[in-house]
Amino acid sequence: MKIAFFDAKDYDIPSFEKYGKEKGIEFKYFETKLSADTAGLARGFDGVCVFVNDTVDRPVIDILYDAGIRVIALRCAGYNNVDLSYCFGRIHVVRVPAYSPYAVAEHTMALLLTSVRRIHKAYNRTKDFNFSLSGLTGFDLHGKTVGVVGTGKIGKIFIDLCRGFGMNILAYDKFPSAEGVDYVPLDELLGKSDIISLHCPLTEETYHLIGAEAIEKLKKGVILLNTSRGALIDAEALLDGIKQRKIGAACLDVYEEESDLFFRDFSGHILEDDVLARLISMPNVIVTSHQAFLTEEALGNIAETTVQNLATFFGGGICENELCYRCGNVETCMKERREKCF
Ligand code: NAI
């Protein structure tokens, strides 16, 4: 089986080659992202493999379907970039529900520690033999209140890490599932937390969850952490909140307009995105470019699960990682779905 692999990066290839060979799946790596302009490249392949910033909207789905594609393998957990309802009845969509929740939770904690202990500033200073401590005063995490929005796989691990630091935990989730966690309404979490970390998926409901209205409710000086999806935060409102000194710091691994920027090298270019440029220029904003997942363990798990998903699909089996729009519950579509839904 031959799979067109979009938005390929050098770090993707070794593990996909390894697991692909084991299951007789051959990948052709395209550096370009999947879009209506590039979907035609999939003609002649048996399936496509995409990542977080590939576009799988109606025009793309039409092109892929006409090209004979019947399976899209997401090599990620989130699927907000896929029009699942339009795929329904046309193209099967499989994903990697968890590859290393530890990678993302640990990166979130790394960002938090970097921010509160000013490590990013100290690193630059000592590189320049500047050993002054002026302006580097941080604060203890111990005893602070962290509000965790979304207590799924990543959120739960992040809560464990925060507990290790002696922090108080508040949580909000539409479907609470964590044991021994103090769930509160979202507004209460927004008003009481010293630090807020977002770990819920991007849906119509969570789009701009943190916008101007929510920012009004925040504690002055709050630290916002977003390693989930960029559009959970209204970036312009965030910028205003920082300028008004309401938000004390922001650590962002994701950005709502990241798809044309992240994973690429723009050094030496003029950044067209004024909001991102302004955010990056702020001393209390740390941006990483969607790298929270990027550990050796996660890359291996992503490749292994994606290859297994494709092998199961092509073998005619029921893939437990298939996303099914019709069943409503995209996480745990029932066993007989292939007959029922497609
Ligand atoms: P998960 O599915 O295990 O947990 C998501 C949680 O969010 C669930 O408990 C769910 O009930 C909750 N939720 C759903 N709708 C909600 C709402 N409207 N309000 C509040 N909570 C809601 O997902 P997991 O694995 O923990 O991942 C969380 C997110 O992290 C993913 O959606 C993805 O966007 C992001 N992610 C980011 C990565 C990165 O590299 N930066 C890598 C992997 C995931």
Side-chain angles (χ1 to χ4, degrees):
M1 292 296 164
K2 283 169 61 190
I3 305 295
F5 189 109
F6 286 89
D7 202 10
K9 297 285 180 275
D10 51 2
Y11 50 74
D12 291 319
I13 297 174
S15 42
F16 273 90
E17 284 301 286
K18 175 181 168 220
Y19 290 107
K21 277 202 183 84
E22 285 175 11
K23 300 277 181 189
I25 292 178
E26 194 185 321
F27 292 98
K28 166 86 178 171
Y29 301 97
F30 294 107
E31 275 184 30
T32 183
K33 285 204 284 285
L34 178 64
S35 69
D37 293 334
T38 61
L41 290 169
R43 190 166 288 281
F45 288 88
D46 302 296
V48 300
C49 181
V50 303
F51 197 48
V52 293
N53 288 325
D54 291 293
T55 305
V56 192
D57 59 7
R58 286 177 178 228
V60 168
I61 294 162
D62 283 338
I63 297 168
L64 293 178
Y65 188 74
D66 288 347
I69 298 297
R70 295 296 176 267
V71 63
I72 297 170
L74 304 178
R75 49 182 195 279
C76 54
Y79 43 84
N80 53 284
N81 53 333
V82 181
D83 188 337
L84 273 187
S85 68
Y86 199 66
C87 282
F88 173 71
R90 294 179 177 82
I91 300 183
H92 297 258
V93 182
V94 295
R95 68 161 181 160
V96 184
Y99 29 95
S100 176
Y102 298 100
V104 183
E106 288 171 14
H107 188 80
T108 312
M109 184 51 84
L111 287 172
L112 176 59
L113 286 167
T114 302
S115 176
V116 298
R117 302 312 306 269
R118 323 288 190 238
I119 304 294
H120 51 310
K121 291 170 187 289
Y123 177 81
N124 286 332
R125 276 193 198 180
T126 55
K127 281 274 169 208
D128 205 23
F129 307 121
N130 173 355
F131 304 114
S132 153
L133 294 183
S134 162
L136 298 187
T137 309
F139 62 79
D140 292 4
L141 290 180
H142 182 90
K144 296 293 181 303
T145 298
V146 61
V148 178
V149 180
T151 55
K153 291 177 285 296
I154 297 168
K156 283 187 184 113
I157 295 167
F158 184 67
I159 286 173
D160 283 346
L161 297 179
C162 291
R163 284 206 176 111
F165 281 84
M167 301 168 82
N168 307 314
I169 318 288
L170 293 178
Y172 169 73
D173 195 301
K174 196 173 172 192
F175 310 101
S177 64
E179 302 278 316
V181 171
D182 196 3
Y183 283 100
V184 294
L186 182 60
D187 279 359
E188 188 176 336
L189 180 148
L190 296 177
K192 288 189 174 165
S193 302
D194 303 301
I195 295 148
I196 294 176
S197 196
L198 305 179
H199 299 288
C200 60
L202 175 62
T203 62
E204 278 180 21
E205 207 177 342
T206 60
Y207 177 79
H208 284 184
L209 184 83
I210 305 294
E213 212 180 304
I215 290 172
E216 279 290 302
K217 298 171 185 158
L218 300 177
K219 226 172 158 175
K220 189 170 161 50
V222 64
I223 298 184
L224 280 182
L225 308 169
N226 188 7
T227 56
S228 189
R229 283 293 181 267
L232 293 176
I233 298 183
D234 176 344
E236 293 198 27
L238 171 68
L239 192 53
D240 283 345
I242 294 169
K243 284 198 217 161
Q244 288 160 17
R245 317 294 194 266
K246 177 89 179 192
I247 294 167
C251 302
L252 312 172
D253 186 51
V254 285
Y255 171 64
E256 60 177 326
E257 300 298 334
E258 72 180 45
S259 63
D260 289 332
L261 295 169
F262 282 14
F263 308 136
R264 293 166 64 196
D265 181 0
F266 282 95
S267 54
H269 294 258
I270 307 289
L271 193 66
E272 299 288 345
D273 188 319
D274 288 350
V275 175
L276 181 61
R278 186 77 172 101
L279 282 170
I280 289 174
S281 77
M282 297 282 188
N284 51 353
V285 174
I286 298 175
V287 173
T288 53
S289 36
H290 210 136
Q291 79 174 71
F293 75 99
L294 195 61
T295 63
E296 282 176 20
E297 291 80 357
L299 288 176
N301 291 339
I302 287 170
E304 188 176 16
T305 306
T306 303
V307 166
Q308 185 56 53
N309 287 345
L310 288 166
T312 307
F313 176 82
F314 290 122
I318 300 294
C319 176
E320 61 179 3
N321 296 325
E322 185 165 343
L323 295 168
C324 176
Y325 178 74
R326 182 169 173 187
C327 291
N329 187 351
V330 289
E331 307 282 325
T332 53
C333 183
M334 289 298 107
K335 212 170 157 228
E336 66 282 7
R337 69 185 169 282
R338 189 159 280 179
E339 294 78 43
K340 198 173 76 183
C341 299
F342 285 88

